[in-house]
């Protein structure tokens, strides 16, 4: 696949979309922006919902790849998750298939495997092929997205890198985040690798920096050419002093998904 130049960025108005809008152009991409909300300072951004199939068809027409970040990014009532994350992602894949877009980089999440116990000291890191154990309807929708990506690769030859993002924020803000943090600069490095690596088929990777306290195995991400440069450890002293070390007896501390594992479900009423 020739190196992609024009990339559709869905979810461009969101937190991660905003970070990537500033970081990815340095890699030579021209970004086409898409979000249901207007993107501040970007009058050419496409303002449309993932439910709008015509808008999606037009948005993906002629792009070399899609970085699919749009969707509900936290737990929410099932119907909302269904509409944006399940149906919306399906509509995006259909538009990409119909327009011949060769690759999608899909923002999956650690919450697709959130009920997986975090490794204790000395235990092996969690591999990408660990059974999926969603911790929420949100995590379930990311699990669906990974299966959808596999289907579109097997059936239609549309490639995907599913990135199970940990937490991509400028700085880690909790002790758990020391294990799952992905610096924005490493996020851009990983998305760039996912957009440009040869012959990815459907590849699942974890998205994080090279954290000293890392919980999962970055081998499949490194195989794409990703070389993380950051580590959350310099933030550890302050965060541990404020919050204490993780308590292995607390389910919110001892599973990959953190507090998502014991937050009560959000019902529609
Ligand atoms: N930020 C992280 O650390 C993190 C971690 C794991 C996974 N992710 C995933 O990465 C993506 C981006 O995360 P974020 O933190 O920027 O979230 P965010 O909520 O800040 O941004 C999501 C964007 O998607 C847009 N959106 C939602 N539903 C839409 C729809 N139906 N049609 C069009 N646009 C829609 C929203 O308007 C918003 O701008 C999400 O898919 C999220 O699940 C993020």
């Amino acid at each position: 696949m020739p190196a992609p130049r024009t990339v559709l960025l869905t979810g461009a108005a969101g937190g991660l979309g905003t970070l990537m809008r500033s970081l990815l152009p340095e890699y030579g991409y021209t970004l086409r922006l898409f979000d249901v909300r207007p993107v501040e300072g970007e009058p050419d951004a496409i303002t449309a919902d993932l439910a709008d199939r015509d808008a999606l068809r037009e948005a993906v027409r002629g792009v070399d790849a899609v970085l699919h970040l749009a969707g509900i990014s936290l737990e929410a009532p099932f119907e909302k998750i269904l509409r944006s994350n399940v149906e919306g992602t399906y509509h995006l894949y259909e538009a990409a298939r119909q327009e011949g877009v060769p690759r999608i980089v899909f923002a999956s999440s650690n919450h697709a495997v959130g009920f997986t116990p975090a490794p204790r000291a000395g235990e092996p890191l969690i591999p990408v092929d660990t059974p999926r154990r969603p911790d929420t309807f949100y995590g379930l929708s990311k699990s669906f997205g990974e299966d959808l990506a596999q289907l579109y690769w097997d059936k239609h030859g549309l490639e995907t890198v599913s990135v199970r993002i940990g937490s991509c924020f400028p700085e880690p803000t909790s002790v758990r985040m020391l294990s799952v943090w992905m610096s924005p600069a490493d996020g851009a490095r990983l998305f760039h690798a996912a957009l440009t690596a040869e012959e990815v088929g459907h590849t699942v990777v974890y998205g994080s920096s090279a954290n000293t306290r890392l919980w999962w195995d970055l081998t499949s991400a490194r195989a794409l050419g990703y070389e993380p440069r950051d580590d959350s450890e310099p933030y550890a002293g302050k965060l541990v002093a404020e919050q204490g070390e993780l308590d292995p007896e607390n389910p919110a501390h001892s599973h990959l998904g953190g507090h998502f594992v014991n937050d009560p479900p959000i019902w529609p009423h």
Side-chain angles (χ1 to χ4, degrees):
M1 187 179 102
R5 286 283 149 250
T6 307
V7 172
L8 178 72
L9 176 65
T10 74
L16 196 47
T18 301
L19 291 167
M20 292 306 129
R21 273 191 285 129
S22 73
L23 293 169
L24 283 178
E26 289 167 27
Y27 290 85
Y29 299 109
T30 300
L31 299 178
R32 194 181 287 178
L33 309 178
F34 183 103
D35 203 293
V36 71
R37 296 186 288 153
V39 185
E40 208 181 318
E42 298 283 357
D44 294 337
I46 302 159
T47 305
D49 196 289
L50 290 168
D52 185 342
R53 294 176 187 225
D54 292 338
L56 270 179
R57 263 308 271 272
E58 207 171 311
V60 301
R61 194 165 296 146
V63 300
D64 300 312
V66 179
L67 176 52
H68 181 44
L69 305 183
I72 293 175
S73 56
L74 293 167
E75 183 60 324
F78 180 74
E79 287 73 9
K80 285 192 175 174
I81 298 272
L82 180 65
R83 191 169 171 281
S84 283
N85 294 16
V86 175
E87 294 176 358
T89 301
Y90 161 70
H91 291 146
L92 174 75
Y93 271 78
E94 261 306 281
R97 180 189 69 77
Q98 289 170 326
E99 293 295 332
V101 177
R103 185 174 299 180
I104 294 176
V105 175
F106 168 57
S108 184
S109 169
N110 68 88
H111 297 290
V113 291
F115 261 111
T116 308
R120 299 194 184 200
E123 289 181 355
L125 298 175
I126 304 298
V128 280
D129 61 357
T130 195
R132 285 201 298 255
R133 298 179 71 173
D135 55 26
T136 41
F137 297 138
Y138 166 69
L140 183 63
S141 75
K142 296 300 185 181
S143 190
F144 167 83
E146 292 186 10
D147 279 341
L148 185 75
Q150 187 66 48
L151 174 66
Y152 272 68
W153 166 243
D154 287 334
K155 200 148 208 157
H156 305 297
L158 199 173
E159 293 192 311
T160 296
V161 177
S162 292
V163 183
R164 288 183 189 155
I165 303 166
S167 292
C168 187
F169 297 96
E171 289 186 5
T173 56
S174 69
V175 175
R176 170 181 174 268
M177 244 198 236
L178 295 170
S179 296
V180 304
W181 183 60
M182 178 162 71
S183 72
D186 278 344
R189 285 182 193 107
L190 178 53
F191 290 138
H192 175 57
L195 287 164
T196 50
E198 297 286 335
E199 295 182 16
V200 299
H202 176 222
T203 298
V204 181
V205 305
Y206 290 108
S208 65
S209 289
N211 302 317
T212 301
R213 300 174 187 227
L214 192 66
W215 280 340
W216 43 61
D217 185 355
L218 294 180
T219 302
S220 63
R222 290 181 188 275
L224 300 175
Y226 172 54
E227 288 180 25
R229 294 201 196 146
D230 295 318
D231 181 345
S232 60
E233 205 54 20
Y235 300 94
K238 178 172 175 284
L239 287 169
V240 171
E242 286 168 3
Q243 301 171 15
E245 291 284 3
L246 295 179
D247 172 7
E249 301 308 316
N250 180 346
H253 291 188
S254 59
H255 292 81
L256 298 190
H259 68 83
F260 279 44
V261 303
N262 56 359
D263 283 350
I266 302 176
W267 305 116
H269 38 276

